[in-house]
Amino acid sequence: MSKIVFVGAGAMAEAIINGLTKEGKVSPTHIHVMNKSDMEQLEHLKRSYNVQIVCEEKKALTEADIVVLAMKPKDAIEACNGIAPYINKEAMIISVIAGVSIQTITSHLGERPIARVMPNTSAAVGLSASAVCWNALVSEHSKLEIIHILEAIGSVKVVEEEDLHVVTALAGSGPAYLYYFAEQFEAAAVQHGLTSADARQLFIQTMEGAAQMLKKGDVEPSELRRKVTSPGGTTEAGVEQLVQHKVDEAIFACIDAAQNKSRVLGKQYE
């Protein structure tokens, strides 16, 4: 079983660790974690998932088969420079850092197998929508291993590196958009008399049902919408307000801004 070291111990690292250990795909004894300074978070991960903390001598890094870069983009260069002397030449790098390119990582960690992954925090419940790309040094066996790891936390698509910007905007950031919609729908329902608990339960079930209808894949979203929208009915009245308030333009602007930010982050750390 591969030894995995997470460099960075924030929300994304925890979500992936949670998914991996819950599925039993990787033993907690084979997972090590380290970060820049937050010892409290490392202890939390150790208590919660029985993973190991990288010692001061960084021995785990020298023995790692896979190193997962999970720090914030602003800390990426410093972190890569800090771990570069310890990583063995055979270790594979998996980066979940938004915007930072394979070429940038290579320039600080050297020529080696590198994959970039964009998961989301739904990894914590095994429902991440992840995308992955890799450089030419990643073997076919290693590609399958990466996909195997990612399937333990949800679904995975192989894409070109250039496409990761829009994947970041759509899937990486996507849960936050849906939580925002949930907040607003819940608040609106409460304003009209429902309890917060009832509104949330109804909205969750509505999202789950709609997601399953979409997942069947035999009917386009536009057609599913039309089937719900009876002429002169309540749905039509609601959709008309979405159109009048240009919600479509807001969504386009949302994705555009997020993918542009991903590109800016990438250039910033080249």
Side-chain angles (χ1 to χ4, degrees):
M1 185 177 286
S2 296
K3 178 178 283 189
I4 304 176
V5 175
F6 283 80
V7 184
M12 183 55 69
E14 181 168 5
I16 296 171
I17 290 168
N18 186 22
L20 290 174
T21 54
K22 185 181 294 184
E23 289 292 316
K25 296 293 179 71
V26 181
S27 167
T29 60
H30 286 74
I31 298 176
H32 289 69
V33 292
M34 61 181 288
N35 65 6
K36 187 176 180 181
S37 59
D38 191 347
M39 193 64 192
E40 185 177 339
Q41 174 66 3
L42 293 178
E43 292 290 352
H44 159 71
L45 294 176
K46 182 177 180 179
R47 287 193 307 272
S48 300
Y49 308 103
N50 202 31
V51 297
Q52 318 303 305
I53 296 174
V54 173
C55 65
E56 217 169 294
E57 293 74 28
K58 296 183 174 61
K59 182 182 177 185
L61 271 176
T62 67
E63 300 173 347
D65 301 297
I66 299 172
V67 176
V68 180
L69 305 180
M71 70 289 291
K72 292 185 173 82
K74 68 181 181 63
D75 298 323
I77 303 306
E78 181 183 354
C80 285
N81 290 338
I83 64 175
Y86 301 94
I87 305 174
N88 70 74
K89 292 181 180 179
E90 287 73 37
M92 181 168 59
I93 306 299
I94 299 178
S95 170
V96 297
I97 312 169
V100 179
S101 69
I102 289 174
Q103 182 54 49
T104 299
I105 296 167
T106 300
S107 67
H108 293 276
L109 294 182
E111 293 286 343
R112 58 173 67 247
I114 300 173
R116 280 186 63 195
V117 178
M118 180 44 60
N120 62 38
T121 53
S122 298
V125 292
L127 291 173
S128 175
S130 303
V132 61
C133 65
W134 31 57
N135 65 9
L137 297 178
V138 177
S139 68
E140 292 302 314
H141 173 77
S142 294
K143 289 176 184 179
L144 292 176
E145 185 174 16
I146 294 168
I147 289 173
H148 183 66
I149 289 171
L150 294 175
E151 285 178 340
I153 59 172
S155 66
V156 56
K157 294 288 184 183
V158 178
V159 300
E160 297 297 324
E161 185 171 18
E162 174 63 21
D163 293 333
L164 277 187
H165 296 297
V166 70
V167 170
T168 298
L170 176 65
S173 301
Y177 312 148
L178 294 177
Y179 299 146
Y180 178 79
F181 293 150
E183 288 179 67
Q184 305 314 314
F185 277 111
E186 184 177 322
V190 168
Q191 187 178 67
H192 288 279
L194 284 182
T195 67
S196 179
D198 285 348
R200 184 170 304 179
Q201 183 179 2
L202 287 165
F203 184 73
I204 290 169
Q205 186 61 43
T206 300
M207 282 203 298
E208 287 183 345
Q212 287 301 316
M213 293 291 286
L214 286 167
K215 197 171 183 179
K216 287 174 64 179
D218 56 346
V219 182
E220 288 295 308
S222 58
E223 180 60 24
L224 287 171
R225 173 173 56 81
R226 280 193 288 271
K227 286 183 177 182
V228 182
T229 311
S230 302
T234 59
T235 306
E236 184 180 69
V239 170
E240 283 177 355
Q241 288 302 307
L242 295 178
V243 172
Q244 287 182 26
H245 286 80
K246 301 186 188 313
V247 171
D248 57 341
E249 292 183 15
I251 291 171
F252 271 76
C254 168
I255 298 299
D256 194 48
Q259 67 93 26
N260 279 335
K261 184 64 173 180
S262 177
R263 294 177 189 280
V264 168
L265 287 171
K267 291 183 180 301
Q268 185 176 345
Y269 300 109
E270 286 179 353

